[in-house]
Amino acid sequence: MLTYIIQNKRGIKDSKRFLKICRKSITREIAQLVDEHNIKANLVFGAEYTKPTSGVIQKMNFKTKNTVILPTTDIRVYVITAMKKLFVEMEEFYAKGSGWTLHKIIHLELRINRYVPLRGSSYMELPKKISAKKTVVNIMNNDQKCFVWSILAALHPVDRQSKPERIHHYQPLKYDLDVHLDGITFLVSLDHVKLFEKRSGISINVYSYDEKLVVYPFYITREEKDTHVDLLYIRDQTNSHYCLIKDLSRLVRSQITKHTTKTWLCKCCLMHYGTEDLLNKHK
């Protein structure tokens, strides 16, 4: 999408000091961009090195890997971590004993690419460990509208005896959401989840799980509304799928605590607390 460059106009010779000076502006730039898009970012540190014995000067670029940055990412932590990695690369370059020494710091680049995540598609089976918790409604759709069916399942709950995963419960209701879906393509990407939120007045959190079936926040709404829906995003190498989470606390309870007493859960980071007051302080 763009490259943001901070030139070393002050002629700073200390790489660690230069990176520290750049930290705030890099953090601010990422924060502005991630408000509009999910992005991938990396940093590039450009400098010139010289060999005192020969006087040869060579330009070097030290880079970090592209990292996905979402609205839920702690941008300050990302920037600090990325800059530490740059500094480690420089130190390793010196340690190779090639005789190069820093001659001049040129600039720091922030390279931004748009990140288009996987999209929700047709029906996929849940892992048995997740399914056994009886708190995820996995609509058995054969189209690409699992996002729509999951939202409708939240707005029009069906009791377990009536098998809420059956799509026929929600098909007569599908036109209820049409006014909010104009311009939203199926399969629904996370960018379009944000667009749906703005149009519908329904806030949405999306969670996923890793290879160990540990659930984590994948997309968190900026403001939880009176009508709120939690979705589970599952995927493999060829497909992805949205499901409805009926009870997030029940879904994640075993991974965050062994206690059986009531806890208050933060939906943003899945921290839990013994009282509602403690949770409110955390928020």
Side-chain angles (χ1 to χ4, degrees):
M1 286 171 59
L2 61 86
T3 300
Y4 177 69
I5 302 175
I6 301 176
Q7 300 285 356
N8 183 20
K9 294 180 179 179
R10 294 161 59 182
I12 296 168
K13 295 288 183 73
D14 186 320
S15 54
K16 188 175 278 189
R17 180 172 168 239
F18 178 70
L19 289 175
K20 190 173 182 179
I21 289 170
C22 295
R23 191 185 299 166
K24 281 187 179 179
S25 54
I26 292 289
T27 302
R28 184 171 60 248
E29 189 71 18
I30 294 173
Q32 290 172 350
L33 289 164
V34 83
D35 258 347
E36 299 297 326
H37 307 282
N38 295 317
I39 61 175
K40 283 185 175 182
N42 76 305
L43 296 180
V44 181
F45 179 86
E48 288 181 355
Y49 287 81
T50 184
K51 283 190 175 181
T53 53
S54 63
V56 174
I57 295 175
Q58 179 175 320
K59 184 177 178 182
M60 293 288 297
N61 284 328
F62 300 96
K63 304 175 184 178
T64 63
K65 291 181 179 179
N66 262 325
T67 301
V68 175
I69 301 177
L70 305 175
T72 54
T73 301
D74 189 326
I75 298 168
R76 181 177 169 275
V77 171
Y78 161 73
V79 172
I80 291 171
T81 304
M83 288 185 172
K84 282 182 180 177
K85 288 178 179 176
L86 285 176
F87 193 72
V88 167
E89 274 199 40
M90 290 179 235
E91 290 294 295
E92 288 176 351
F93 178 67
Y94 291 137
K96 288 178 181 177
S98 55
W100 293 103
T101 59
L102 181 63
H103 174 65
K104 181 172 70 174
I105 297 170
I106 302 172
H107 59 232
L108 180 69
E109 294 183 9
L110 168 66
R111 296 178 178 177
I112 299 291
N113 297 290
R114 184 159 185 168
Y115 170 57
V116 181
L118 293 171
R119 302 161 180 256
S121 185
S122 56
Y123 175 76
M124 294 173 63
E125 285 191 11
L126 286 167
K128 289 182 180 179
K129 183 179 177 181
I130 300 287
S131 180
K133 296 184 180 183
K134 306 293 184 185
T135 191
V136 177
V137 178
N138 186 11
I139 307 298
M140 301 176 72
N141 63 304
N142 57 7
D143 56 17
Q144 297 180 339
K145 296 186 177 182
C146 53
F147 175 81
V148 174
W149 304 126
S150 297
I151 297 294
L152 287 171
L155 300 179
H156 305 278
V158 174
D159 62 77
R160 192 185 300 173
Q161 288 74 22
S162 300
K163 298 187 176 180
E165 68 276 7
R166 298 292 175 85
I167 197 170
H168 69 82
H169 295 299
Y170 316 107
Q171 284 172 324
L173 307 166
K174 64 181 179 180
Y175 301 107
D176 293 357
L177 299 180
D178 276 358
V179 67
H180 309 307
L181 295 169
D182 185 41
I184 292 178
T185 56
F186 298 98
L187 322 164
V188 176
S189 69
L190 289 184
D191 273 352
H192 280 174
V193 171
K194 289 197 283 188
L195 181 58
F196 178 83
E197 283 187 295
K198 288 178 182 177
R199 290 178 175 176
S200 66
I202 300 170
S203 59
I204 297 171
N205 288 343
V206 182
Y207 301 85
S208 192
Y209 53 79
D210 61 20
E211 65 278 359
K212 295 181 179 179
L213 303 184
V214 174
V215 176
Y216 62 89
F218 195 54
Y219 166 81
I220 298 296
T221 186
R222 291 297 178 91
E223 179 187 359
E224 187 168 322
K225 304 291 179 63
D226 290 339
T227 303
H228 176 80
V229 178
D230 291 323
L231 299 178
L232 183 66
Y233 186 56
I234 64 177
R235 52 190 166 169
D236 59 22
Q237 292 182 339
T238 59
N239 197 12
S240 53
H241 181 60
Y242 289 106
C243 307
L244 170 66
I245 301 173
K246 293 189 297 182
D247 186 338
L248 179 64
S249 181
R250 184 174 173 182
L251 178 63
V252 303
R253 185 181 185 87
S254 62
Q255 76 184 43
I256 60 176
T257 181
K258 294 181 180 179
H259 297 297
T260 56
T261 54
K262 182 174 180 179
T263 59
W264 279 261
L265 180 73
C266 173
K267 290 188 173 184
C268 294
C269 65
L270 304 187
M271 289 286 289
H272 66 285
Y273 295 89
T275 69
E276 191 172 6
D277 283 345
L278 288 174
L279 174 62
N280 288 335
K281 282 183 181 180
H282 165 75
K283 286 183 177 180

